[in-house]
Amino acid sequence: MQNRSFMARLMAAPHVVWSILFIVAPMLFVFYYAFTDSQGNFTMSNISELASPSYLTIFARSGAFALVATAICLLIAYPLAYAISRANPKRQKIYIMLIMLPMWMNFLIRTYSIMAIIEDTGFVNNILGYFGIEPIHMINTDGAVIFGMVYNYLPYMVLPIHTVLSKLDNRLLEAAADLGCTPVQTFFKVVMPHSRSGIISGITMVFVPSVSTFYISQKLGGSSFDLIGDTIERQFQTAYNYNLGAAMSLVLMIIILVSMAIMNRYSDDEGSVVV
Amino acid sequence: MKSLSKVYTALIFIILYAPIAVMVLFSFNSSNSTGVFTGFSLQWYKELLNDSATLEALKNTLVLAVSSSCIATIVGTVAAVGISKIKSKYMKNAINTVTNIPMMNPDIVTGISMMLLFVFATAKLGMSQTLGFSTVLIAHITFNLPYVILSVTPKIRQMDKHLTEAAMDLGCTPFQAFCKVELPAILPGIISGFIMAFTLSLDDFVISYFTTGNGFETLPIRIYSMTKKRVTPDMYALSTLIFIAVLVLLILSNVAEGDGTKKKARARK
């Protein structure tokens, strides 16, 4: 009997070995490269270089863009998820399918397609020109990058919020109304608290890819400004300064860990990830 | 109120699908512009069929997605069963935390951390070039594993443990009991884990981008290198075809499911 349960536990072994080799070891290498120079000697210079104003601006900009994009996603997604969750089940299924369908398009193509639409000589400006309206400059602006983030990651916000809202019992809303809540009060006292875990997992699922993106900013922001992702990508693919790149990744990882820790303080015990 | 929410939903869907509609439209453009529609033609679809590099990348992507999701599903399912049997809470938590790292970390960090490992290993082992199919495969299996484990574990928890014991009392070996009792019970979790892994692998750009070397190109990487210059509409043609394929698959699976529930309803009568 004892022997059998040992055998069963052994089933986890290949996965554990795999995790140590390809999850833990790579993480250690990030630390190793972040604190060494190109000769492999210990140094703090990579980290201290990141404290320079130019890098601090990049970190601040990335954080700000991701925060704004996440906030916009939440504002757009919440009413949408709510509206979908109140539709009849058959309808809901179709809506959810429609939300997920664009995610099946490669996001590079979607982003490129946005670029083709909002370019100075792009689709929108051609149509405006047809009506005799002066072209609007949209590409290579902060707004374009944030739009790209919102567009690409909106489904990640809608889906978890919809999951929790669709489980919300309609009778609770009726009870709240019967007990004298105005619709606004019902929303803040019943609906919101119920959907907290969905909101939190939505926020993490939008914030993490937004703060670390490089393709969206390359395509929609032009070369006018850098985000963390752009800078890391350059260290590894063109500048070949792995040590600085590793240091930046380390800082990025810490930013995300800290923001997740803050988020988890607001979530109830169960609601860390709802998909 | 009702109509307001309908208008709102419609508006969001229009914005969500506008870039895709534009892409489909311009895949039929007769000139190579992605801004002005000059006339209908199928030339980009013809061009696509003659573009051997893109077709090669498509093949690579499919091979990679199938192999990585199959391996991740097998290892992940076996691991989920094993983890569920571990009694020490501390040990369980430690394994789960490590497993979830690739899911929590931004893709770019996962990608470069693995790249650093591979580059270091290559240098230490004195090999000239290792980055390629095998390293991308390892990376994909790694980021697929947590999703498989995450979808199988709840099914194991829901399963009645006495069933396995009953099977063994009735003369099954532990292996037989696993195959005949546990496996069918957790199969839905395994399938949804596999589908998730397959999709993620198919769509991944960032992690492949950092862990591949010269000579192995997946479709997203090919798209990336092509969008560095101006994209010709054959990329749009390809994406349109993929989009249609996904759409048809989704509709078919929905129809099949609908038939299933109808049959069930009839059987109940």
Side-chain angles (χ1 to χ4, degrees):
Chain A
M1 207 58 192
Q2 196 56 45
N3 191 30
R4 206 179 66 220
S5 79
F6 174 74
M7 284 299 285
R9 268 177 283 166
L10 212 60
M11 291 170 81
H15 170 67
V16 171
V17 173
W18 186 280
S19 302
I20 291 170
L21 276 179
F22 298 117
I23 299 176
V24 178
M27 285 295 129
L28 296 179
F29 273 103
V30 175
F31 277 92
Y32 172 76
Y33 275 87
F35 290 106
T36 51
D37 59 22
S38 52
Q39 264 73 49
N41 302 316
F42 175 81
T43 173
M44 286 299 286
S45 65
N46 300 313
I47 302 286
S48 58
E49 195 178 334
L50 295 182
S52 69
S54 61
Y55 283 114
L56 286 179
T57 337
I58 293 173
F59 279 112
R61 187 187 294 127
S62 292
F65 276 30
L67 274 180
V68 172
T70 311
I72 296 175
C73 271
L74 182 59
L75 285 178
I76 296 176
Y78 202 95
L80 184 66
Y82 187 76
I84 293 176
S85 72
R86 297 299 104 184
N88 69 47
K90 216 172 172 183
R91 265 256 161 93
Q92 278 195 41
K93 226 176 150 186
I94 295 171
Y95 282 141
I96 289 302
M97 213 177 86
L98 284 174
I99 296 269
M100 284 165 75
L101 194 54
M103 287 160 73
W104 275 81
M105 296 307 312
N106 192 282
F107 96 103
L108 303 170
I109 287 282
R110 274 183 284 151
T111 307
Y112 190 85
S113 181
I114 294 176
M115 181 180 139
I117 292 178
I118 65 173
E119 261 177 339
D120 289 342
T121 56
F123 192 69
V124 169
N125 279 325
N126 283 336
I127 289 182
L128 289 180
Y130 188 76
F131 291 107
I133 303 168
E134 284 286 297
I136 305 168
H137 179 68
M138 290 173 285
I139 193 93
N140 299 348
T141 59
D142 295 7
V145 176
I146 291 172
F147 177 77
M149 290 175 178
V150 171
Y151 178 83
N152 275 307
Y153 305 130
L154 186 67
Y156 295 135
M157 187 69 92
V158 177
L159 295 176
I161 295 179
H162 170 261
T163 307
V164 286
L165 283 181
S166 63
K167 288 183 196 140
L168 182 66
D169 194 336
N170 244 332
R171 284 171 297 185
L172 280 177
L173 306 184
E174 285 159 18
D178 284 348
L179 293 170
C181 272
T182 64
V184 178
Q185 280 175 321
T186 311
F187 179 78
F188 282 106
K189 296 204 165 166
V190 182
V191 182
M192 273 290 256
H194 261 93
S195 52
R196 198 164 57 184
S197 62
I199 295 176
I200 285 175
S201 75
I203 290 178
T204 16
M205 283 164 78
V206 174
F207 183 78
V208 173
S210 300
V211 81
S212 59
T213 186
F214 61 92
Y215 188 76
I216 295 177
S217 43
Q218 274 177 11
K219 282 297 139 195
L220 302 177
S223 47
S224 46
F225 49 77
D226 274 339
L227 299 182
I228 305 178
D230 300 306
T231 328
I232 296 179
E233 193 253 351
R234 201 169 323 113
Q235 300 310 326
F236 283 96
Q237 300 288 0
T238 45
Y240 296 109
N241 187 346
Y242 289 2
N243 303 92
L244 186 62
M248 295 197 79
S249 312
L250 195 61
V251 174
L252 177 61
M253 224 155 53
I254 290 166
I255 293 178
I256 286 169
L257 278 182
V258 169
S259 23
M260 275 194 187
I262 296 172
M263 294 297 305
N264 280 337
R265 287 190 57 175
Y266 290 99
S267 99
D268 26 334
D269 44 0
E270 253 324 287
S272 42
V273 178
V274 186
V275 187
Chain B
M1 195 62 196
K2 262 251 126 63
S3 59
L4 186 71
S5 88
K6 264 191 190 139
V7 171
Y8 181 74
T9 312
L11 191 71
I12 300 290
F13 278 119
I14 289 171
I15 296 174
L16 213 51
Y17 280 87
I20 296 172
V22 168
M23 182 196 80
V24 174
L25 177 71
F26 283 100
S27 73
F28 294 110
N29 202 357
S30 59
S31 74
N32 69 358
S33 160
T34 49
V36 187
F37 194 76
T38 47
F40 180 86
S41 95
L42 285 174
Q43 61 157 315
W44 300 111
Y45 289 84
K46 273 185 215 141
E47 205 128 308
L48 178 68
L49 290 176
N50 294 324
D51 184 351
S52 57
T54 301
L55 294 179
E56 173 76 20
L58 178 64
K59 194 196 86 196
N60 285 344
T61 307
L62 288 174
V63 170
L64 179 69
V66 170
S67 45
S68 73
S69 54
C70 284
I71 297 174
T73 305
I74 295 168
V75 177
T77 305
V78 171
V81 174
I83 293 171
S84 73
K85 300 267 159 63
I86 293 175
K87 290 197 187 74
S88 144
K89 212 173 175 189
Y90 176 75
M91 188 69 183
K92 225 181 209 175
N93 273 342
I95 295 178
N96 282 334
T97 310
V98 171
T99 305
N100 288 343
I101 289 178
M103 216 162 61
M104 298 301 187
N105 252 345
D107 285 354
I108 192 168
V109 175
T110 310
I112 66 120
S113 71
M114 301 200 83
M115 176 193 181
L116 288 175
L117 171 77
F118 295 142
V119 167
F120 190 85
T122 309
K124 276 280 171 276
L125 296 174
M127 285 186 276
S128 56
Q129 174 69 292
T130 49
L131 293 181
F133 175 72
S134 50
T135 48
V136 181
L137 181 65
I138 290 175
H140 277 226
I141 294 171
T142 308
F143 76 72
N144 279 337
L145 272 172
Y147 292 95
V148 175
I149 293 178
L150 200 75
S151 60
V152 175
T153 305
K155 296 285 170 215
I156 296 176
R157 228 180 276 150
Q158 284 164 17
M159 201 187 68
D160 189 349
K161 286 194 188 67
H162 301 299
L163 285 178
T164 322
E165 285 163 21
M168 286 191 279
D169 283 347
L170 293 170
C172 275
T173 64
F175 183 71
Q176 280 177 322
F178 176 75
C179 292
K180 296 202 167 169
V181 179
E182 280 185 68
L183 209 55
I186 60 176
L187 196 62
I190 299 175
I191 291 173
S192 70
F194 173 79
I195 291 174
M196 193 135 52
F198 184 79
T199 320
L200 287 167
S201 171
L202 212 57
D203 205 44
D204 172 69
F205 160 64
V206 177
I207 293 171
S208 316
Y209 177 60
F210 285 105
T211 49
T212 192
N214 293 330
F216 183 76
E217 214 176 30
T218 64
L219 197 56
I221 294 174
R222 168 108 188 122
I223 294 171
Y224 178 74
S225 56
M226 286 188 74
T227 52
K228 277 193 169 161
K229 305 164 270 179
R230 272 210 74 89
V231 163
T232 51
D234 56 343
M235 272 296 135
Y236 282 10
L238 178 68
S239 307
T240 303
L241 292 178
I242 295 175
F243 184 75
I244 292 169
V246 172
L247 190 66
V248 169
L249 271 180
L250 275 176
I251 291 172
L252 280 182
S253 77
N254 250 35
V255 169
E257 216 171 283
D259 271 3
T261 46
K262 255 184 230 154
K263 265 178 209 152
K264 255 184 232 157
R266 230 176 283 143
R268 234 173 268 142
K269 274 178 202 163

